[in-house]
Amino acid sequence: MRRILIVGAGQAGLQLALGLQGRGYDVTLMSHRSPDEIRSGRVMSTQVMFHTALQHERGLGLHFWEDRAPRIERLGVSMAGTVAGRPGVRRVVDWAGRLDRCAQSVDQRLKMAGWLETFSERGGRVVVHGVAVSDLDFLAHRYDLVVIAAGKGELASLFARDPARSPYTAPQRCLALAYVHGLGPRPEHPEYDAVRCNFVPGVGELWVIPAFTASGRADILFWEGLPGGPLDVFRRAEDPGEHLARTLELMERFTPWEYGRATAVELTDAQATLTGRYTPAVREPVGVLPSGVPVLGAGDAVVLNDPVAAQGANSAAKCAAVYLAAITERGDAPFDAAWMRATFARWWAGARHATKWTNLMLGPLPVHVRDVLGAAAGLQPVADRFANGFDDPADFDEWFYDAAKAGHYVARARRPSTTRS
């Protein structure tokens, strides 16, 4: 039986560990926190899992909260602007695209704690301990393969930044999120749940995400602000109540249509807020320990995207699925550096589309992109195709990035009997 060590108990690490466990591998998982510490700790992220990523979880029998989490049927876009003769900020664009298959969001405190307990209950070996490079170097020779799925801290330094694939050298957004109860229904469509991205040009974005947490149905209010701008006002050590008040003040100022249904919200718990910022980067997939042992990077350890395009957890799930298949196919052959690079390349073939899509969202939106978003308000096929691109970002290459292609597609969409082709 081949022995595999996985460091990191997030989406990629735990999904891979449980998948390998189910196929008979001897897996050790290292986490810096226990399930109880994860469950009772601060919220870890925002996340919207689209159909492809959810299918990977379902295939492993890990969809424990599916019947309780909101069924997200649409993805909407609003654009803030001003209208001549009317004071204040208005929605100048507003629509919702239909998802082909529902998306869902589960608080990762629930998910990762539950998955970690499941791994242990099924006989997996869990080591709760922070890991330094020296610790890993001591342990690595005991395993056939070491996978690093921890995207922060000392271990991330094992993987060199790839400048050709990493256009940014500084954080592009300051992040602030709050999980809340009590958000009112959207008046335009109270009959279904939708995740919505509110673009505020020159300021940032507000994502509103229906979710499930320990206390039931919740919504995530997530500001992504340009550094140094009016949203860059959250402090890391801020009191949760102050954080929520600041979130609502900014909603009232920049997205009053969202604030109107948020006047009665309250935090889901005392640990329901989070702030931060980080630099997006793609890193070399193979790290080398001081002893010369190669290790394979997974998920955020090697492809770290800003959450502005909702790709992080989806990309991690797809990474785990690719790595699971590659490890299984390897049989008894060695997991050498060449195999590691080939395995990463197999994942990157899809992950590069998520990174390209995210990087576009981080910059000023090109004129033709804003034109497409405006046109989608009156063209449901365009709105639907844009929404489903979050599940399959490769589709954006076919029509969205190039101004001529986008214009041609929108023109065809205006004709009767238009399809996505």
Side-chain angles (χ1 to χ4, degrees), residues 9-12 14-15 18 35 38-39 44-50 53-54 56-58 62-65 104-119 212-214 313-314 316-317:
Q11 178 77 41
L14 270 166
Q15 184 182 316
L18 284 155
I38 295 171
R39 191 177 285 112
M44 301 162 66
S45 68
T46 60
Q47 63 287 310
V48 185
M49 302 293 285
F50 295 96
L54 290 174
H56 291 312
E57 295 182 0
R58 293 174 183 130
L62 301 177
H63 52 308
F64 302 151
W65 302 272
Q104 290 191 317
S105 175
V106 175
D107 185 342
Q108 287 195 341
R109 293 176 296 180
L110 282 184
K111 190 176 188 179
M112 301 314 159
W115 282 5
L116 192 55
E117 288 172 338
T118 298
F119 177 76
F212 180 76
T213 188
N314 291 271

Side-chain angles (χ1 to χ4, degrees), residues 113-267:
W115 282 5
L116 192 55
E117 288 172 338
T118 298
F119 177 76
S120 181
E121 289 165 0
R122 292 176 180 175
R125 188 180 304 104
V126 177
V127 178
V128 179
H129 196 281
V131 186
V133 171
S134 57
D135 301 320
L136 198 58
D137 203 32
F138 176 76
L139 295 169
H141 72 278
R142 305 179 185 181
Y143 297 91
D144 297 293
L145 173 64
V146 176
V147 179
I148 308 298
K152 300 177 183 177
E154 182 184 347
L155 295 184
S157 66
L158 288 169
F159 306 101
R161 177 177 172 272
D162 182 346
R165 293 171 172 171
S166 306
Y168 301 114
T169 57
Q172 299 300 297
R173 293 290 190 274
C174 50
L175 315 174
L177 65 93
Y179 282 56
V180 299
H181 291 313
L183 187 69
R186 186 174 296 279
E188 308 94 297
H189 49 73
E191 72 280 9
Y192 60 79
D193 276 310
V195 59
R196 180 167 293 265
C197 180
N198 297 273
F199 291 96
V200 186
V203 175
E205 301 82 24
L206 172 70
W207 282 89
V208 182
I209 304 168
F212 180 76
T213 188
S215 48
R217 161 65 192 254
D219 288 274
I220 305 171
L221 307 177
F222 178 37
W223 277 114
E224 287 241 354
L226 296 175
L231 302 181
D232 194 359
V233 293
F234 292 88
R235 300 185 301 274
R236 188 176 296 274
E238 191 167 42
D239 173 84
E242 293 177 1
H243 180 113
L244 179 59
R246 201 177 305 276
T247 297
L248 295 174
E249 289 168 4
L250 293 168
M251 290 173 66
E252 184 177 22
R253 178 180 174 187
F254 293 111
T255 58
W257 55 91
E258 298 287 10
Y259 175 76
R261 62 194 190 104
T263 54
V265 300
E266 59 182 10
L267 294 173

